[in-house]
Amino acid sequence: LVCVLNLLYYILSLMTLQEIYELAIDLGIKADPRGVQSVKNLLARRKKEYKDLPSKKKKYYDLESFRNPYSDSRILFGAPSIKVKKVIAGIDADASEVLLTDRLNEKGANIDLLISHHPSGHALASLHEVMDVQVDMYAKMGVPVNVASSLFEERMATVKRKMSPLNHGQAVDAARLLNVPLLALHTIWDNLGNNFMEKHLSAKKFDRLEDILDYINEIPEFIEATKGKSGPSIVSGSSNNRAGKIVVNFTGGTNPSKELYVEMAKAGVGTIVEMHVPEDAVTELKKLHINVIDCGHMAADSIGANIFLDELERRGIDVIPCSGLIRVKRK
């Protein structure tokens, strides 16, 4: 009887997929650069927007967006009620990672859930929708909000067109056929990483660009990435350049347009700390004499991932890292 009760308690204490998803949303909102109240205002506007829609359009509305402001972070496959004891988590999860999960389970791994940072399915198709968070970020940097908003409308339209022809459903179809629950957490993890980096860099005053780079390189994810020849580097400016005003840009879907970088220069930004920077933007930033530290995509994404995965482990869930995730555990 005692064994049965212990087993029952163990099963009941496990988190469900839905609870993991809701935890992610909560943490993502708390770390959102716009602030919690601004996100609540956004969700309220969406409800009003839906209410004012004609009936024929309401059936197409994404009702999940009433409580989740991040359309690129969703349960892509799996019953929300499933119990989760072990997850496998990576930066990307396409059909290969779904097959990997299934293969590991055949060998007795007992993995309950695959978590991907980069989205697929409808979460990828709607990537442009989360870019609006950057409008507020650039406004905080000193760019007039009307200018940032206008330029991001153009950039969002470009990203939407770029994503449109992709095979969004490939990984989700594989997950469905192999019965592998799949969760994507994109902007949510990016918010956590962005918040971490802002706090890290606000702890000190920096004079030169090399001082910033040295301090960034103390972060364990970047130490490991550097060992693998993919650590942070200066891609615009030189190590002895004056740092000036420092901004972190780790969230918001994807990179802004190069025109936004021009506005950053006007706003007095001296150094940008980025996850990754397109080459055309680097060319423009060099012309504008803006310093840029490219932190390395996989390592930078791993920071937000690790913060979240630490929360899961504290709740008794086992984590297997894969697909580019540099797993670092923090207290």
Side-chain angles (χ1 to χ4, degrees):
L1 179 61
V2 173
C3 292
V4 173
L5 290 173
N6 286 339
L7 178 61
L8 182 61
Y9 174 80
Y10 170 76
I11 293 172
L12 292 174
S13 65
L14 293 179
M15 292 185 76
T16 64
L17 173 54
Q18 182 66 29
E19 288 169 337
I20 292 172
Y21 174 60
E22 290 175 358
L23 172 66
I25 294 170
D26 182 57
L27 293 176
I29 291 173
K30 287 177 179 176
D32 196 296
R34 293 169 291 191
V36 173
Q37 188 56 52
S38 291
V39 176
K40 288 181 178 179
N41 293 341
L42 169 65
L43 297 177
R45 285 197 301 273
R46 288 180 178 176
K47 290 180 181 178
K48 184 179 185 305
E49 178 185 74
Y50 175 77
K51 184 179 179 181
D52 294 341
L53 281 177
S55 298
K56 63 180 181 180
K57 290 189 176 182
K58 283 185 176 179
K59 63 182 179 180
Y60 302 113
Y61 201 89
D62 179 14
L63 300 181
E64 187 64 20
S65 68
F66 290 164
R67 60 174 178 164
N68 179 1
Y70 314 111
S71 59
D72 61 352
S73 301
R74 297 292 172 86
I75 297 173
L76 299 177
F77 175 75
S81 60
I82 64 166
K83 296 286 188 175
V84 178
K85 171 56 181 172
K86 184 183 292 185
V87 304
I88 185 169
I91 303 303
D92 294 283
D94 59 18
S96 301
E97 279 67 38
V98 176
L99 285 167
L100 172 65
T101 303
D102 184 64
R103 181 72 184 98
L104 287 170
N105 280 343
E106 285 183 344
K107 298 175 73 174
N110 297 319
I111 297 166
D112 303 301
L113 173 64
L114 169 60
I115 305 179
S116 175
H117 174 49
H118 292 140
S120 55
H122 58 82
L124 176 60
S126 62
L127 180 66
H128 63 284
E129 295 178 4
V130 301
M131 293 180 67
D132 190 60
V133 66
Q134 293 191 62
V135 173
D136 295 86
M137 292 171 66
Y138 279 83
K140 287 181 180 178
M141 297 175 194
V143 177
V145 70
N146 58 304
V147 174
S149 180
S150 178
L151 288 173
F152 264 105
E153 282 185 15
E154 296 175 19
R155 176 62 175 151
M156 289 162 71
T158 301
V159 171
K160 183 179 180 181
R161 291 193 298 271
K162 183 179 179 181
M163 295 297 170
S164 180
L166 300 180
N167 186 354
H168 309 111
Q170 188 174 31
V172 181
D173 285 342
R176 175 176 52 80
L177 290 168
L178 291 172
N179 196 30
V180 174
L182 177 60
L183 173 66
L185 299 176
H186 188 218
T187 292
I188 287 173
W189 282 3
D190 283 347
N191 282 356
L192 293 170
N194 191 80
N195 186 57
F196 176 92
M197 285 300 295
E198 285 188 338
K199 288 181 177 178
H200 184 73
L201 293 177
S202 66
K204 286 187 69 174
K205 297 289 185 182
F206 301 97
D207 180 37
R208 307 284 173 171
L209 192 55
E210 64 181 350
D211 300 328
I212 305 173
L213 183 60
D214 288 344
Y215 194 56
I216 287 174
N217 277 326
E218 294 177 8
I219 296 172
E221 286 86 347
F222 297 135
I223 293 173
E224 292 304 311
T226 300
K227 291 176 183 177
K229 309 299 181 183
S230 59
S233 62
I234 296 169
V235 296
S236 177
S238 63
S239 59
N240 202 41
N241 277 16
R242 295 295 185 95
K245 182 179 179 181
I246 304 164
V247 298
V248 175
N249 192 25
F250 266 33
T251 193
T254 189
N255 298 88
S257 64
K258 61 182 180 180
E259 289 78 15
L260 245 300
Y261 289 117
V262 175
E263 296 302 323
M264 292 174 69
K266 293 179 183 177
V269 171
T271 299
I272 308 172
V273 179
E274 285 266 18
M275 284 188 169
H276 53 89
V277 194
E279 194 58 34
D280 63 337
V282 172
T283 301
E284 198 64 38
L285 289 161
K286 286 180 178 179
K287 294 177 185 176
L288 297 166
H289 308 289
I290 295 181
N291 305 312
V292 181
I293 294 177
D294 182 331
C295 288
H297 195 174
M298 296 302 105
D301 275 342
S302 293
I303 293 174
N306 286 325
I307 292 169
F308 180 75
L309 295 172
D310 285 349
E311 288 292 332
L312 292 190
E313 288 195 338
R314 278 191 278 272
R315 288 163 170 78
I317 293 176
D318 298 326
V319 174
I320 301 173
C322 74
S323 187
L325 172 62
I326 302 171
R327 182 74 178 109
V328 173
K329 301 181 183 181
R330 292 180 170 83
K331 294 181 180 180

